[in-house]
Structure formats: C-alpha cells, structure tokens
Amino acid sequence: MRKILIIVLVLICISGGLFLYLYYNKLRDFEPLIKQRLSKLVTDGSGGLYHLDIERLETDVIRSKIKLVNARLRPDTLVYAQMEKDHKAPNDLFDVSISLLSVDDIVPADFIANKVINLGTLYINNPVVKILHKKQPYNQPARDSVPSVYELIQKDIRSIKVDTIVLQNVDLIYTNRNQKNKETRLMNVKLFFKDILVDSSTQYDRQRFLYARNCLINLKDYSLNTSDSLYRFSVGELDILATEKRIRLKALTFRPRLSVKNFYQRVKHQQDRFELLIEEMHFTEVDWWSMLAEESFLTRKITMKNGKVKVFNDKSQPPDTRSKVGKYPHQLLMKLPFTINLDSLLIQNLDLSYSELNPKSGQTGSLYFDNIHGLITNLTNSPEAIRQKPFCKINARAQFMKQAPLTAAFTLNLAESKNGSFGVEASLGSLQSEALNKITIPLALVKVNSLQINKMEVSIRGHNRAASGKVKLLYNDLQITALKVSGDTLKKRGLLSFVANRFILKKDNPGYNQPARVHHAAFQRDTHKSFFNLIWKTIFTGAKKTVGYDKK
C-alpha cells in the first residue's frame, strides 16, 4: 500500500512539473518554430508575393490556444512588379494588419510537426484590410495555368482545415487603380468563414469562396454622399453570402441632404428632388466582387420589396435650359461606365408620388401611384446580350390616385437606343372627379365638377424628337369650372366656365347613339424636358382632343 502511495505521489509530481514546464516555457519552446512554419506557409502559398510578420506569438499548451500579436500580411512589391511584367499578377493586392489573432483548439506541437493541419476557431479583432485593385487585361475568371495554393504548399502540407474564422470590426480600405485611385472605406465590417478546406479535392472547387464552404460578409449603417453633395445614400444592413452569390440589403435610403429651399438655392433651376426608401432588396447569382470594383453589374435577379419614392419639382424656379436628348432610360443605361446584365428586376409593393409646385396658383398638385407591382426584364448594355434580345420590357400595375387600377407596359429598344426608340401601352380603369381635382385645381386652375372616367387606353410609339399614337378615353358627365388667382384664393371664372361647358367640351364619350371617339395624338418633344414628360404630353394631347378642347 505504501509503495502504491509513493508511486502516485511521484506521478503527481511529474505531472505537476510537466504542467509548470509547459506553462512557463511554452512561448520559448514553440514561438520560433510556429513563426517559421506560418511564414513559410504564407510565402509558399502565395508564390512569394506575400510575407507574414509577427511581433509576438503566445502559445498556451494547456488551453490549446495560440495568439498572434501585431501581425501583418504584407505584399512584396518587387515580386508584384515582376508578376505584372510576366502577365501573371492578380487583380487584387492585399495588405492586412492584425492586432490580435486567437486560434482555439490547437496543439502547438502538432501544428509544427504534422502535414495535416486541423484548426478550430480563429478570432480576429479590429483588423485593417487594404485592397489595391487593378484589373489586369490578361486575367480571366478561371486560369487553370496558374498554380493553386495547394500545389504551392503540397510538399510540406497535405491539407489545412479550419472550422470557423470570425473577423470582427474590420476596417476595409478599397483602392481602385483603374479609376484614378478611387478609395472606398467601409467600417465595422464582419466576416464569417465556415468549413475551410485546402487540399487536392478543393483546390479548383469554384463552389467555395477562399476555400470556405460558407462565407458571410456583414455591414451595418453604411452611408455616403453623392459627388454633388445633394443626397446621402445609406444602407441599414448589408449581407453578402459569398459562396451562394447572393446579397441582401435592408433599409436602403436615398435622401436629400438639404431642405427644399436650400436644395433649389443650390441647383438654381427646375429639377426633380428625390426621396427613396426600400425596405428590402435581394440579389441572386450576383458577381459581387466585380460590383465592388465597379467593373460590372452581373446578376440574374433582383427583388425589391416595400418601398416609397417621392419626387418633387418647384416650377417657380428658372427652367433648366440644358438639352435632355440622349437621356432616356435606355440611353443612360448604354452610357454606364461598366457592363450591366440583369435578367429580371421584380418590384413588390412600391408607392410612388410626384408633386409639383405651380407658381400661378401657389399650390402643389400630386400624382399618386400606389402598390406598384412590376417586372423589368433584360436590363443590359452588353452588345452580345442585346444582339440576342434587343428589347428591355417593363410591365407594371398600380392604383392611380388611390382609386383607379392602372396597367402599363414599356418597351425600350436597346438595339436602337441612339434614336431613343420606345413604345408604351397603358390602360386606366374607373376614376371619379374627386381624385382628379387634386391635380387639376393646383396645376391647371380647373375644377372638375363632375366626371366619371370609365376607361382609358393608350398606345404610343416614340423616339428622340417626338411621340405619337392612339388615345381612347371613355367617360360620362364632364363639367368643369375654370379658376383664376385672386389674392390668396382661387375664384371662379364664370363666363369662361359657361362657354367651355356649353360650347367647347363634349360631355360624354361615346355620345348618345354614337361610336366612341378614338383620337390620334402626336407631340413634338421639348428637348429640355424628360422622357416621361413626352409620354404625358402625348397622352394629354389625345385626351384634350377627345373632350373637345384641342387648343395647343
């Protein structure tokens, strides 16, 4: 019994001594070897392009942890310059500074000796990631001739497996050398990598992102001002699911930075002032890395949910005398400095309002398009895609003035974008005078006493200089009151109202025992006005002819 007790005490002393040795000598014994292996892995895996500098390394054998303190992954600019000469340089160069990197569930001795490296969780806090982007013309999406990371390290390592990598509070600085060193800075970015595996089976696996089966990039409360400082664009939350090629946006806003008064003092002419809020946007099969570089916008589908768009224009301001020729939607699409290829944009539940201040009445009139559901297809400026499908189509339905069902279909001829070729088909359902007065009184100084619009159908074709088509307006019991401004109020113009109702306006369409009147409408474009102004003026021309008032 006594011998057994002595043996147990000896084992306890040995274990205690071993514990104390490992605890107090861990850094001295393991630091040089771990540093050496890490540096070799980085240098070999990058073909000499990158080096790893570590100020201090702390190993905890007992708790199976390693900590890197003040580490930096730095590029070798001389190697990069030579790679550029040899047409082997990558598009992106990284410079990463890390104050603390913690690796859990690791046995230092195994990390030094084994050819199979298995790591648990890596925590990286407050790293600064600098990305220098320069698109090289010789780089293709897949270059099998370039050695993979695995091929470069396989002499020493058969596989590297990491369960999870968490990067918190990343300061990301992205410099685009193709755009005059344009710098974009993103703060408080979070990155989560799951199931990282570098071996012979994953070296060419394009279903992974940086060898990870799953990767999430998260950004909150991002905002920036437009180049003219008139607006601020912001996103409440952005998620990039890299391996799934999906993006989620929440609380996307585009708002003026100035009050209405200060906005027009700055622009000094009539101009639409926008406010936009989108609750959610989803991108499917998106090339998000090219999007970040502003080289292309390639995605299969975008879904936009629950939004509000407000547009205001102050017509008391001086007119904008600049020509708007060449600024139709599809013409602006062609002028984008990057390739865009979007199969479909689905719009769900969007409210749009357009308000205009009339200096004659001193009042503001508003048009409302509520609960818009729409689909835009073939939104592209790619010549190859346009040769295959030359038309961008927009189909939408909404409630007009919170009352009448409205459907509209726009066809934009992408192959003939230079001459602005387009088409519009639209249909409006039942609408009563109360809704119309919200527009006609402040903007036209006309009160509609009674009117029942039963249906309106529109078919228009247009180009840069003009538009024409058919307008079919069916209505009953039209009667108006013409108004004039008197001080701060609007008063009735009795004689003009009497003449209009008795001799000019046609009360019904169709008239009694008569076929419905369908008028051809044509309008020469005011080149200082917009695409939608031309469509509206063409429809208004046909409507005026229908009711009997065709004075220009």
Side-chain angles (χ1 to χ4, degrees), residues 520-546:
H520 178 80
F523 191 81
Q524 293 294 315
R525 180 189 181 189
D526 180 346
T527 57
H528 302 111
K529 302 295 184 180
S530 69
F531 172 75
F532 293 102
N533 179 268
L534 174 61
I535 294 172
W536 160 245
K537 290 292 187 180
T538 305
I539 296 172
F540 189 56
T541 299
K544 286 195 300 180
K545 287 183 178 180
T546 303

Side-chain angles (χ1 to χ4, degrees), residues 359-372:
K360 293 182 180 178
S361 66
Q363 296 184 11
T364 299
S366 299
L367 294 169
Y368 297 99
F369 303 86
D370 293 331
N371 197 25
I372 299 172

Side-chain angles (χ1 to χ4, degrees), residues 172-223:
L172 178 64
I173 303 169
Y174 187 95
T175 303
N176 195 330
R177 291 174 62 188
N178 296 118
Q179 297 188 10
K180 300 180 180 179
N181 291 326
K182 178 182 177 182
E183 184 176 291
T184 301
R185 188 161 192 168
L186 306 176
M187 306 290 289
N188 300 320
V189 181
K190 296 180 182 178
L191 294 94
F192 303 90
F193 295 86
K194 189 72 176 177
D195 189 12
I196 300 105
L197 180 62
V198 182
D199 66 7
S200 59
S201 67
T202 63
Q203 59 180 323
Y204 298 119
D205 188 350
R206 296 189 179 94
Q207 300 301 314
R208 291 172 175 259
F209 175 71
L210 297 179
Y211 293 95
R213 186 178 297 279
N214 294 296
C215 173
L216 171 64
I217 302 171
N218 175 268
L219 173 66
K220 292 184 178 180
D221 300 324
Y222 171 72
S223 64

Side-chain angles (χ1 to χ4, degrees), residues 33 36 41 70 75 79 97 100 105 121 136 141 148 161 217 268 270 324 332 479 534:
L33 295 174
Q36 181 181 349
L41 282 174
N70 294 333
V79 173
S97 298
L100 179 64
D105 302 321
T121 302
Q136 305 290 357
S148 68
K161 184 177 180 181
I217 302 171
K268 295 180 171 55
Q270 296 176 18
K324 288 187 172 58
L332 294 174
Q479 188 177 45
L534 174 61

Side-chain angles (χ1 to χ4, degrees), residues 152-297:
L152 293 171
I153 65 172
Q154 63 179 335
K155 290 182 180 179
D156 300 312
I157 300 293
R158 288 201 304 270
S159 74
I160 300 174
K161 184 177 180 181
V162 184
D163 181 60
T164 306
I165 298 179
V166 180
L167 293 92
Q168 299 273 25
N169 302 320
V170 180
D171 184 359
L172 178 64
I173 303 169
Y174 187 95
T175 303
N176 195 330
R177 291 174 62 188
N178 296 118
Q179 297 188 10
K180 300 180 180 179
N181 291 326
K182 178 182 177 182
E183 184 176 291
T184 301
R185 188 161 192 168
L186 306 176
M187 306 290 289
N188 300 320
V189 181
K190 296 180 182 178
L191 294 94
F192 303 90
F193 295 86
K194 189 72 176 177
D195 189 12
I196 300 105
L197 180 62
V198 182
D199 66 7
S200 59
S201 67
T202 63
Q203 59 180 323
Y204 298 119
D205 188 350
R206 296 189 179 94
Q207 300 301 314
R208 291 172 175 259
F209 175 71
L210 297 179
Y211 293 95
R213 186 178 297 279
N214 294 296
C215 173
L216 171 64
I217 302 171
N218 175 268
L219 173 66
K220 292 184 178 180
D221 300 324
Y222 171 72
S223 64
L224 77 162
N225 298 334
T226 56
S227 57
D228 57 11
S229 294
L230 290 175
Y231 294 92
R232 178 180 290 270
F233 170 81
S234 64
V235 177
E237 185 169 8
L238 180 149
D239 287 327
I240 298 174
L241 290 82
T243 54
E244 299 176 30
K245 296 182 179 180
R246 293 194 292 124
I247 295 178
R248 296 187 301 234
L249 293 174
K250 292 183 179 180
L252 185 147
T253 63
F254 186 76
R255 290 193 173 111
R257 299 182 63 237
L258 304 173
S259 66
V260 173
K261 179 181 178 181
N262 291 337
F263 180 91
Y264 286 105
Q265 285 179 346
R266 172 78 67 85
V267 300
K268 295 180 171 55
H269 54 71
Q270 296 176 18
Q271 181 172 310
D272 289 339
R273 181 179 183 270
F274 296 91
E275 292 185 56
L276 177 145
L277 167 64
I278 304 295
E279 286 187 9
E280 290 185 51
M281 288 185 71
H282 298 263
F283 298 72
T284 304
E285 293 183 24
V286 58
D287 186 348
W288 61 273
W289 193 258
S290 293
M291 189 187 300
L292 177 64
E294 299 182 34
E295 293 170 351
S296 63
F297 188 96

